Amino acid sequence: MSRGILDLDLLLTPDELAVRDTVRALGRDKLLPDVATWFEEGILPSEIPPLLGSHGLFGMHLQGYGCAGMSAVDYGIACLELEAIDSGLRSLVSVQGSLAMTAIHKFGSEEQKQEWLPGMATGEIVGCFGLTEPDHGSDPGSMRTHARRDGADWVLNGTKMWITNGGIAGVAVVWAQTDEGVRGFIVPAGTPGFRTQNIKHKMSLRASITSELILDDCRLPADAVLPEVKGLRGPLSCLNEARYGIVWGAMGAARACFEAAQEYAGSRIQFGRPIAGFQLTQKKLADMYLELAKGTLLALQIGRLKDEGKATPQQVSLGKLNNVREALHIAHEARGILGANGITLEYPVIRHANNLESVYTYEGTNEIHTLIVGQALTGIAAYS
Ligand code: TGC
Ligand code: FAD
């Protein structure tokens, strides 16, 4: 959040402002200086997970097992500040904390929690979350990956696609069809029959590793299954947590683009005056600020509801739908204001704009969240 016309800082407590300042300083000092290079080279340096872990950013809203036990609003603010640097960094935190750790925390046995969560909280172990498949994205209920019993063991076969952190993960949470419905499995890296392959040639989310997970007669012991959930409700309830982080995070990317455009417009002279002095530029900046402020208020409202235990999946969908769509508009407008400079990595705008194309699609596409909101408004499901 930034002061701006509305002075939204007034809505935050001193503790929340302290979280904001800590993560903002981490981003400014340790991440921003190199993030464009990571994006250009398509890498995520191995020291980043432990760095973020040392700041308590993994599973920061979870209780116990080395997690920071912070509020939903604290977590949202951290997502915003990280995504103001790069969506790939927020993705790392979302997938680690809100998807992989949350699945184990919510649905794992005590032994599974003790074994995996402390190392994931420090970032020593990276986790990934395999739901999407090559032929089943928006409709994960049709997944083909399956697990069958063989004595006490489970044997998994199938392919997961577009999996953030896959190639660097020490552990994968993989969702598979079974005779009892969809179940979650903990698959340690190095398990025979399990391998990953990184996806190349991405033009978006380049400072993030995205991979295919291949399970070929991958044999797991009986205690690899998450015991506390059966059915699609399992993965979908983890998605609520990660989608919530995106509601805030998207406003971070939007803020970075808005600030870059505002500053550029003030210093770029054309026709003898700053381009900020043209009415057309002012309309763009006014509209961008308006959507940034409205989206941040939406995120805060959902966060406050979440901290009261009242946030619904439909509210989170409303936030993801609006904030990612508007962040993408803001990024596109900012890119235009920067003229030719808008297409280079010397400025953050094209990087954010490209990243937001992924954010628009993952964690439920723009269309899927539209349909979730449509169903909430009409009572009629229109997915199929
Ligand atoms: P449907 O019949 O509606 O529901 C099946 C069961 O799930 C329950 N449920 C939910 N539970 C908790 N939270 C939610 N948001 C839930 N939505 C549904 C539902 O109550 C039911 O439970 P039960 O016990 O009655 O069986 O399922 P459907 O097959 O019709 O699907 C509905 C739809 C389309 C909304 C759902 O499939 C969906 O959300 N699709 C989008 C898939 C998606 O978002 N994938 C994301 C993959 S992970 C990712 O992208 C990570 S990106 C990296 C990063 O975050 O940075
Ligand atoms: P599709 O489902 O094939 O959709 C294609 C188009 O059709 C979209 O516009 C969609 O909105 C539209 N469409 C589909 N169904 C309907 C409908 N009923 N009505 C109207 N329109 C519809 N997945 C994971 O499991 N784990 C991860 O860590 C992960 N990380 C990702 C990282 C990146 C960088 C990306 C790009 C994706 C990641 N994903 C991950 C996958 C992501 O969740 C899926 O891409 C997403 O759910 C959409 O699936 P799809 O790409 O197969 O598109």
Side-chain angles (χ1 to χ4, degrees):
M1 291 165 88
S2 64
R3 298 210 84 91
I5 297 171
L6 271 188
D7 206 353
L8 296 181
D9 283 4
L10 293 173
L11 298 175
L12 300 184
T13 65
D15 285 351
E16 289 163 352
L17 288 169
V19 169
R20 193 268 317 264
D21 292 344
T22 303
V23 184
R24 189 177 284 183
L26 169 72
R28 185 191 56 227
D29 299 341
K30 301 273 175 59
L31 303 170
L32 189 60
D34 297 316
V35 74
T37 305
W38 304 337
F39 183 97
E40 190 157 28
E41 294 178 358
I43 58 166
L44 181 74
S46 58
E47 57 268 26
I48 298 306
L51 174 69
L52 300 189
S54 70
H55 284 74
L57 292 167
F58 291 138
M60 72 182 274
H61 59 305
L62 301 176
Q63 302 288 335
Y65 308 97
C67 303
M70 310 284 277
S71 73
V73 169
D74 289 331
Y75 175 55
I77 290 168
C79 287
L80 188 153
E81 293 301 331
L82 281 173
E83 197 150 355
I85 306 300
D86 194 275
S87 301
L89 298 167
R90 196 270 309 136
S91 260
L92 170 65
V93 163
S94 290
V95 170
Q96 177 86 344
S98 289
L99 294 180
M101 291 175 73
T102 292
I104 296 170
H105 196 275
K106 248 181 196 297
F107 304 126
S109 65
E110 188 54 35
E111 292 72 24
Q112 289 169 336
K113 294 181 204 183
Q114 298 279 3
E115 181 175 359
W116 295 106
L117 293 177
M120 294 174 84
T122 61
E124 182 195 337
I125 303 169
V126 172
C128 69
F129 182 92
L131 179 62
T132 305
E133 300 186 350
D135 296 330
H136 305 283
S138 297
D139 178 20
S142 301
M143 71 175 70
R144 281 215 294 266
T145 298
H146 66 273
R148 66 175 166 81
R149 289 269 195 189
D150 185 24
D153 292 349
W154 289 96
V155 178
L156 270 65
N157 279 285
T159 304
K160 297 291 176 180
M161 191 66 177
W162 300 110
I163 307 305
T164 299
N165 298 346
I168 57 169
V171 63
V173 172
V174 173
W175 299 93
Q177 288 287 2
T178 72
D179 289 345
E180 314 158 333
V182 170
R183 303 222 45 191
F185 294 86
I186 297 182
V187 187
T191 304
F194 173 54
R195 66 194 164 87
T196 66
Q197 194 162 297
N198 291 347
I199 295 171
K200 298 203 173 81
H201 311 301
K202 284 184 301 167
M203 298 304 289
S204 171
L205 223 74
R206 290 181 54 74
S208 170
I209 307 303
T210 316
S211 317
E212 196 177 352
L213 311 183
I214 300 139
L215 299 140
D216 186 7
D217 280 336
C218 175
R219 182 174 289 273
L220 297 170
D223 63 4
V225 73
L226 296 173
E228 300 300 332
V229 75
K230 287 180 188 163
L232 202 55
R233 181 175 68 78
L236 292 182
S237 51
C238 301
L239 294 185
N240 294 332
E241 300 300 316
R243 290 167 175 174
Y244 167 74
I246 292 174
V247 175
W248 283 89
M251 290 296 99
R255 186 189 74 198
C257 292
F258 171 75
E259 288 177 353
Q262 188 183 31
E263 191 182 331
Y264 190 87
S267 60
R268 176 71 178 169
I269 309 293
Q270 288 296 289
F271 298 97
R273 55 200 291 222
I275 60 170
F278 299 125
Q279 289 182 356
L280 287 176
T281 310
Q282 290 190 4
K283 174 168 169 35
K284 287 175 192 163
L285 290 171
D287 286 344
M288 289 159 77
Y289 179 77
L290 193 58
E291 293 307 330
L292 180 56
K294 282 155 62 179
T296 308
L297 285 168
L298 182 57
L300 186 59
Q301 165 69 355
I302 296 170
R304 295 278 183 237
L305 288 170
K306 196 162 165 51
D307 277 325
E308 289 171 22
K310 292 182 187 160
T312 65
Q314 292 76 16
Q315 290 165 345
V316 173
S317 284
L318 193 76
K320 203 262 180 188
L321 173 65
N322 182 77
N323 287 10
V324 178
R325 181 174 69 192
E326 295 309 324
L328 200 48
H329 284 158
I330 289 170
H332 288 158
E333 283 290 35
R335 203 225 58 71
I337 289 174
L338 266 67
N341 281 318
I343 69 152
T344 102
L345 286 175
E346 298 297 319
Y347 293 85
V349 173
I350 191 75
R351 181 167 51 79
H352 283 299
N354 280 11
N355 284 339
L356 286 165
E357 296 292 347
S358 287
V359 185
Y360 193 72
T361 288
Y362 67 34
E363 294 284 0
T365 65
N366 176 71
E367 290 75 15
I368 289 299
H369 289 292
T370 303
L371 295 176
I372 292 171
V373 173
Q375 182 178 8
L377 295 174
T378 64
I380 304 168
Y383 309 104
S384 54

